[in-house]
Structures are given as structure tokens and as C-alpha cells.
């Protein structure tokens, strides 16, 4: 069985969006929704939604649609939001500060328990309500608190060595912002590389196509 349990990456990438939309419906006290109406809100097709959810056994009932809170809960379980994976962040620079302060980790199944930086000037400073530790303390911290997820906001050149070290300390999931294209070298490790610039370039591509069409 693959790491994704045979579920395609494209379906997995859509799940957080389902979870977010369903959460918004819950806030509006909407208890039940047809796949057509959910599709309309999400700008997908009803058959796409049925196909996606069927990958996990399907949740709707013919003639009833979906029970919003049940579907939200079940997708949350699939995404692991109930797990509260102990998480550390490395690199308390510009990006690390923004991520620590603005990402709601706990709503996404991660519990941010430690922030580390190699710069001694930052040791003891407060970020996201916690003291920044020096990286010298990583090993003992990992032994004691057993984090399994690491957010990497560190320079590209240090990423591979950092990942090897963290993996030895028991970390198996890497949310990697470092611009180093990390591939999981271990059977028991998972990686999500994030490049915000790629998203911008997708936009510029679309702009390019649009402007070419307009010039025809
Ligand atoms: P920065 O220079 O402000 O912060 C980097 C921090 O990492 C510094 O505080 C430094 O002391 C610390 N550091 C260096 N080596 C370390 C190590 N081995 N362990 C722990 N901490 C260490 O840089 P910034 O702007 O925060 O960017 C950080 C990284 O994120 C860079 O590689 C940058 O290219 C990348 N980046 C990625 C983006 C993305 O979309 N994926 C967007 C912006 C930046």
C-alpha cells in the first residue's frame, strides 16, 4: 500500500478545501447540503465531489445529500485534525515569525510546542507565545517531547543536514519552506514542500495567456 493509501495526490489536495467550506457552512448553521449545491459553492461538479468522497467510502445519501457536521467531522478525521501532532518550527527569521504567528496549527491537527533558531541573539525571545530555543537544545527537547512534525523556515543550504538530524531525533513529517526540494529518503517520512513563489508564477502564467488572447 502506498503512503497515500492509494488515494491520488489531487484528491488529497482538495480535502482541506472541502473541510474549510464545510466548516463555513457549519458556522452558518447549515445542517444538510446536496452534492449539487456543495458543488455550486465550491465551483466543482457534483460528480467530482461524489467521486472524491467515494475514495473514502462515500458519505452522502441518495435523496438527502450530505449531513454537513458529519461530513466535516469525517473529513477532519481523514486529514488528522484530531491528532494534534507535536510540532516544532526551525528558523525564527522573517518567514518563521510570520508562520508561527499566523498559522492556526491546532485547527489543523498540529500542536506547535517549540521554536528553534541557531542565532543566539534570538534565544529566549518570545514568538507565538513561546520562548525561542537555541538549536543546541533540539536533541534533548526531542527526547523529552517527541515532536513528529517540523516546519522548516531555515536557509536552503542547511535543509538536508537539518532533516537528517531531525529524523534521527524521531521527526517524520517536514513542512518545508526552505526552497530546497526535499524528497523523502526514508520510508517512514513524509514531506510537503511549499513555494509561495510557484503560486505567483501560476498566476503570471495565466496573466500571460490572458494577455495573449486579448491581443489576438
Ligand atoms: P531569515 O534570514 O529572515 O531567517 C532564517 C532564520 O533561520 C534565521 O533566523 C537564522 O538564524 C535561522 N537559521 C539558520 N540556520 C538554521 C538552522 N540550521 N537551524 C535553525 N535555524 C537556523 O530568512 P527568511 O526570509 O525567514 O527565509 C527563510 C527561508 O525560507 C529561506 O530559505 C527562504 O528562501 C525561504 N522562503 C521560502 C518561501 C516559500 O514560499 N517557501 C517564502 C519566503 C522565504
Amino acid at each position: 500500500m502506498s503512503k497515500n493509501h492509494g488515494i491520488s495526490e489531487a484528491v488529497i489536495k482538495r480535502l482541506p478545501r472541502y473541510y474549510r467550506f464545510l466548516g463555513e457552512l457549519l458556522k452558518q448553521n447549515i445542517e444538510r447540503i446536496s452534492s449539487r449545491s456543495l458543488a455550486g459553492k465550491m465551483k466543482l461538479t457534483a460528480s467530482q465531489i461524489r467521486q472524491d468522497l467515494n475514495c473514502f467510502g462515500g458519505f452522502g445519501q441518495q435523496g438527502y445529500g450530505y449531513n454537513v457536521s458529519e461530513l466535516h467531522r469525517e473529513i477532519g478525521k481523514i486529514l488528522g485534525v484530531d491528532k494534534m501532532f507535536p510540532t516544532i518550527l526551525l528558523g525564527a527569521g522573517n518567514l518563521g515569525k510570520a508562520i508561527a504567528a499566523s498559522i492556526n496549527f491546532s485547527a489543523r491537527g498540529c500542536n506547535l510546542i517549540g521554536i528553534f533558531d541557531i542565532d543566539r541573539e534570538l534565544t529566549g525571545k518570545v514568538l507565538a507565545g513561546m520562548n525561542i530555543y537555541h538549536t543546541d537544545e533540539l536533541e534533548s527537547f526531542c527526547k523529552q517531547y517527541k515532536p513528529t512534525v517540523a516546519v522548516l523556515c531555515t536557509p536552503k543550504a542547511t535543509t538536508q543536514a537539518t532533516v537528517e538530524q531531525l529524523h534521527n531525533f524521531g521527526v517524520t513529517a517536514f513542512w518545508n519552506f526552505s526552497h530546497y526540494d526535499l524528497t523523502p529518503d526514508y520510508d517512514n517520512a513524509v514531506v510537503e514542500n511549499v513555494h509561495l513563489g510557484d503560486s505567483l508564477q501560476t498566476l503570471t502564467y495565466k496573466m500571460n495567456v490572458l494577455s495573449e488572447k486579448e491581443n489576438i
Side-chain angles (χ1 to χ4, degrees):
M1 182 78 82
S2 73
K3 273 184 191 163
N4 294 343
H5 290 274
I7 308 294
S8 80
E9 194 78 17
V11 174
I12 294 167
K13 292 241 185 258
R14 280 196 288 274
L15 285 181
R17 193 158 169 258
Y18 285 118
Y19 188 70
R20 188 157 41 81
F21 266 78
L22 290 161
E24 281 163 20
L25 294 177
L26 272 183
K27 280 190 202 143
Q28 296 161 34
N29 295 318
I30 296 172
E31 285 168 17
R32 174 179 154 182
I33 192 160
S34 66
S35 54
R36 186 188 293 184
S37 163
L38 184 59
K41 283 181 191 296
M42 295 189 64
K43 312 265 188 279
L44 293 170
T45 64
S47 87
Q48 170 92 82
I49 291 185
R50 280 193 296 269
Q51 259 178 38
D52 283 354
L53 299 181
N54 277 344
C55 295
F56 303 95
F59 300 101
Q61 274 173 40
Q62 196 84 38
Y64 177 88
Y66 296 106
N67 176 308
V68 174
S69 64
E70 194 182 295
L71 188 55
H72 184 255
R73 193 173 52 247
E74 290 305 322
I75 293 182
K77 271 196 221 159
I78 294 166
L79 289 171
V81 296
D82 53 344
K83 293 281 168 46
M84 286 300 141
F85 296 111
T87 300
I88 54 175
L89 183 146
L90 273 83
N94 292 316
L95 184 67
K97 280 189 190 124
I99 293 203
S102 60
I103 295 287
N104 186 348
F105 282 91
S106 61
R108 294 175 172 88
C110 292
N111 184 17
L112 185 62
I113 55 170
I115 298 175
F116 294 83
D117 200 288
I118 206 164
D119 181 356
R120 291 199 186 275
E121 294 280 306
L122 294 176
T123 307
K125 297 229 162 97
V126 177
L127 175 55
M130 57 188 90
N131 290 321
I132 299 172
Y133 296 102
H134 189 263
T135 39
D136 282 353
E137 294 179 64
L138 252 181
E139 183 168 8
S140 62
F141 184 96
C142 290
K143 272 191 188 139
Q144 189 171 357
Y145 298 105
K146 303 190 171 23
T148 50
V149 180
V151 184
L152 305 177
C153 301
T154 42
K156 186 177 179 176
T158 64
T159 310
Q160 189 64 45
T162 301
V163 165
E164 280 166 23
Q165 187 190 35
L166 289 172
H167 189 258
N168 283 335
F169 297 160
V171 175
T172 51
F174 299 91
W175 195 28
N176 172 34
F177 285 86
S178 73
H179 284 324
Y180 175 84
D181 276 317
L182 195 60
T183 45
D185 288 335
Y186 316 97
D187 284 344
N188 67 340
V190 288
V191 168
E192 190 61 27
N193 294 310
V194 186
H195 300 276
L196 296 176
D198 286 3
S199 170
L200 180 59
Q201 283 202 285
T202 309
L203 184 71
T204 58
Y205 167 81
K206 290 176 183 170
M207 295 261 298
N208 220 2
V209 172
L210 192 68
S211 62
E212 275 170 20
K213 263 193 210 155
E214 281 168 358
N215 287 337
I216 287 171

